[in-house]
Amino acid sequence: MQELVPRPRNLILAQLPDAEYEALARFLVPVELPLETRLSEPNEPIEFVYFLNSGLISTDALTEKGESVEVGVIGREGFSGLPALLDQPQMSHSVLMQGVGEGLRIRSSIVRDQFLKGGVFQRLVHSFAYLQMVQTTQSVLCNRMHEVDARLARWLLSSADRMESDSLNLTQEFLAQMLGVQRSTVTVAAGDLQRAGVIGYSRGKINILDRPALIRKACECYSIVTSSYDRILTKKNADELSYVD
């Protein structure tokens, strides 16, 4: 009797019916994804889609000078390269690994063909796309309306949620790029959180020490986005997370 191979930790791949999963599985290539790995570049073809099993993907909007601000993060609930499934062969943003992880790489053309067949895969992609839209639109409001300390708290919480870990490998320079502010501004905001015992920061590693306190310091954007994730993703136990049927 052939031994069954366990499904990947990626929530979309894990939830597919056998026939839909097998149509993709033979093309999936396991890959390690170190910090700052570039998954796609602005205005270049999206050759591959990356389904995360662990780690954190960041989607960043760029200026002509190369300045960036984070507009969305992705964990194992999703994948990179969504526009390729929507008949858009390239995107305007930079997509990179913000937290070290691993996943599965597959040519975008194969994923698009499966998406167009409909079925459970298409439904799950639609749910994931909606969550990305909620994140992006809320980020626009947040970056315009809220103070840096509240935005930093929201961003740390969102990253930790997607990585399912309260330990984040992030430099202050990288945080400044993601928030679209000067590094000195992040130094002050992170220092205030550290002195209050909310986070610990050392050599590019941030540990969330008091999550309830960090939530209180975050703006309402965090709860708005989180409520959408809680509505669409269900947690049966500590290890079993899935999209709502």
Side-chain angles (χ1 to χ4, degrees), residues 41-106:
E41 296 286 0
N43 305 315
E44 292 186 5
I46 303 171
E47 185 176 3
F48 295 103
V49 164
Y50 293 82
F51 288 91
L52 280 195
N53 289 325
S54 64
L56 186 71
I57 293 173
S58 175
T59 301
D60 306 331
L62 303 175
T63 68
E64 289 184 355
K65 295 180 180 179
E67 299 164 324
S68 65
V69 62
E70 173 266 313
V71 295
V73 288
I74 301 167
R76 69 184 181 101
E77 80 285 350
F79 55 90
S80 71
L82 176 62
L85 276 63
L86 307 177
D87 203 23
Q88 300 298 320
Q90 62 186 36
M91 62 189 301
S92 301
H93 302 122
S94 175
V95 182
L96 73 159
M97 291 300 296
Q98 185 177 281
V100 61
E102 56 89 17
L104 296 154
R105 186 185 68 195
I106 183 171

Side-chain angles (χ1 to χ4, degrees), residues 109-130:
S109 57
I110 297 171
V111 185
R112 174 169 164 74
D113 288 345
Q114 186 62 33
F115 172 74
L116 292 176
K117 293 177 182 178
V120 174
F121 181 58
Q122 188 178 90
R123 179 179 63 79
L124 294 176
V125 169
H126 284 158
S127 294
F128 167 64
Y130 171 75

Side-chain angles (χ1 to χ4, degrees), residues 149-151 153-154 157 213-222:
D149 54 350
R151 288 163 51 200
R154 174 190 70 86
L157 288 164
L214 191 60
I215 291 174
R216 289 193 295 272
K217 290 183 177 295
C219 55
E220 69 267 26
C221 295
Y222 175 68

Side-chain angles (χ1 to χ4, degrees), residues 207-233:
N207 291 306
I208 298 176
L209 305 177
D210 189 340
R211 174 172 275 266
L214 191 60
I215 291 174
R216 289 193 295 272
K217 290 183 177 295
C219 55
E220 69 267 26
C221 295
Y222 175 68
S223 62
I224 291 171
V225 173
T226 300
S227 65
S228 294
Y229 275 83
D230 290 344
R231 179 168 55 82
I232 291 174
L233 299 177

Side-chain angles (χ1 to χ4, degrees), residues 135-147:
Q135 270 200 73
T136 301
T137 54
Q138 203 64 40
S139 291
V140 172
L141 181 147
C142 192
N143 290 335
R144 172 65 179 84
M145 303 297 296
H146 296 141
E147 298 296 330

